[in-house]
Amino acid sequence: YQLGQLLHRQRESEDAESCFRTVLARRRQILGDEHLDTLRSANSLGNALNHLGQAKEGEILLREAFEGRRRILGENHLDTLESMNDLGVSLKLQGRFADALEHYQKALDGFRLTLGDDHVWTATSVYNIGRLFGDVERHSEAKVYFLEAVQTRRDLLGVNHPDTMRAIAALADLLRAQSDWKETEVYYRQLLAGRRRVLGDHHSDTLRSTEWLAFVLAEQRMLAEAEQIYRDTLQTRRIINSDDRR
């Protein structure tokens, strides 16, 4: 099971799935379907299947884990809330946005009650709802959740943490979709500064952020700065391509 967890964290989802299937079958045989270790394995396998694009089968396992944990541990136990949130992910992947939102919101309510607002799990739940609202183009609602996720992750994890930058990127992309150029600029500058510090100037994510910042500046008629950024980025890409050919 621990090997499967490690592989899953490394995004080696096919190998993780194989490990989780083996462990789940064994635990069903030895411990029974209602044992907490069996339910944990079902939840892990469901998540791996989600990552592999097999959300329908993932839903079956995650629903089993959620319902079993709720019976044994109660509605607001952290393991139950984890399964509730993960089931929401599976439903979202299938395009069942209303059902996903219901599970996300119940999970968030539980995390707020159990852990409080200032906890990384609560922030992740907030972020997930923001992503869902963004996907269905409910932009004003998505913005509220992304702003909370950015602030909480910045306070708890620091501005350079990947989860913080992921939330900033989502907020900046949302604002860009709304043509809110001035506010978009603020968050793309924050994102670019963070990615430069953590990833370096030559990383693809840094270059992508640089190009989006230039685009937003051009939309505001800040043409000289936008041109310079585009030129600098082009030069960086040429250097990278030259190095790759050696």
Side-chain angles (χ1 to χ4, degrees), residues 4 19 38 45-46 66 69 108 111 113 118-119 129 139-140 142-143 147 152 175 185 202 212 224:
C19 289
T38 305
L45 178 55
F66 165 59
R69 285 173 161 179
L108 176 58
F111 284 130
L113 178 66
D118 296 327
H119 192 281
I129 293 178
H139 292 156
S140 61
K143 180 180 177 181
L147 282 169
T152 304
L175 293 166
E185 178 192 345
H202 290 188
W212 276 123

Side-chain angles (χ1 to χ4, degrees), residues 97-155:
F97 295 112
D99 291 338
L101 178 58
E102 179 182 357
H103 284 77
Y104 278 159
Q105 190 62 61
K106 286 180 179 178
L108 176 58
D109 291 344
F111 284 130
R112 289 197 195 278
L113 178 66
T114 306
L115 300 173
D117 293 339
D118 296 327
H119 192 281
V120 289
W121 288 10
T122 306
T124 297
S125 190
V126 169
Y127 174 79
N128 286 343
I129 293 178
R131 288 294 302 269
L132 180 61
F133 279 137
D135 287 345
V136 297
E137 298 186 352
R138 290 167 62 174
H139 292 156
S140 61
E141 292 160 292
K143 180 180 177 181
V144 171
Y145 283 91
F146 282 149
L147 282 169
E148 181 181 350
V150 168
Q151 188 60 55
T152 304
R153 285 177 167 178
R154 184 182 284 145
D155 291 345

Side-chain angles (χ1 to χ4, degrees), residues 10-185:
Q10 295 175 330
R11 300 188 181 279
E12 299 179 32
S13 297
E14 291 184 0
D15 291 335
E17 178 201 359
S18 177
C19 289
F20 290 143
R21 282 194 188 278
T22 300
V23 173
L24 178 59
R26 190 65 172 159
R27 286 180 171 175
R28 286 195 195 281
Q29 181 182 35
I30 296 173
L31 303 174
D33 292 342
E34 290 287 300
H35 195 281
L36 288 174
D37 286 347
T38 305
L39 297 172
R40 184 176 299 110
S41 295
N43 201 91
S44 296
L45 178 55
N47 279 330
L49 290 167
N50 280 347
H51 279 270
L52 290 168
Q54 301 174 39
K56 186 62 181 177
E57 186 182 359
E59 178 195 349
I60 294 170
L61 289 158
L62 289 165
R63 195 174 295 281
E64 175 190 352
F66 165 59
E67 292 175 353
R69 285 173 161 179
R70 182 171 58 179
R71 282 193 301 273
I72 297 168
L73 301 171
E75 188 85 29
N76 289 319
H77 190 281
L78 292 179
D79 287 351
T80 307
L81 297 173
E82 175 194 32
S83 293
M84 191 184 303
N85 182 80
D86 294 344
L87 179 56
V89 172
S90 187
L91 295 167
K92 176 176 176 285
L93 290 171
Q94 296 176 68
R96 295 161 59 185
F97 295 112
D99 291 338
L101 178 58
E102 179 182 357
H103 284 77
Y104 278 159
Q105 190 62 61
K106 286 180 179 178
L108 176 58
D109 291 344
F111 284 130
R112 289 197 195 278
L113 178 66
T114 306
L115 300 173
D117 293 339
D118 296 327
H119 192 281
V120 289
W121 288 10
T122 306
T124 297
S125 190
V126 169
Y127 174 79
N128 286 343
I129 293 178
R131 288 294 302 269
L132 180 61
F133 279 137
D135 287 345
V136 297
E137 298 186 352
R138 290 167 62 174
H139 292 156
S140 61
E141 292 160 292
K143 180 180 177 181
V144 171
Y145 283 91
F146 282 149
L147 282 169
E148 181 181 350
V150 168
Q151 188 60 55
T152 304
R153 285 177 167 178
R154 184 182 284 145
D155 291 345
L156 295 174
L157 303 172
V159 68
N160 294 331
H161 192 280
D163 287 348
T164 304
M165 288 194 284
R166 191 173 296 113
I168 292 172
L171 177 57
D173 290 345
L174 176 75
L175 293 166
R176 174 171 52 81
Q178 295 178 284
S179 301
D180 187 346
W181 304 122
K182 193 62 183 174
E183 197 170 4
T184 303
E185 178 192 345

Side-chain angles (χ1 to χ4, degrees), residues 221-233:
R221 312 306 295 171
M222 299 167 68
L223 300 180
E225 186 179 1
E227 179 184 353
Q228 188 59 55
I229 291 173
Y230 276 133
R231 287 184 182 278
D232 291 345
T233 305

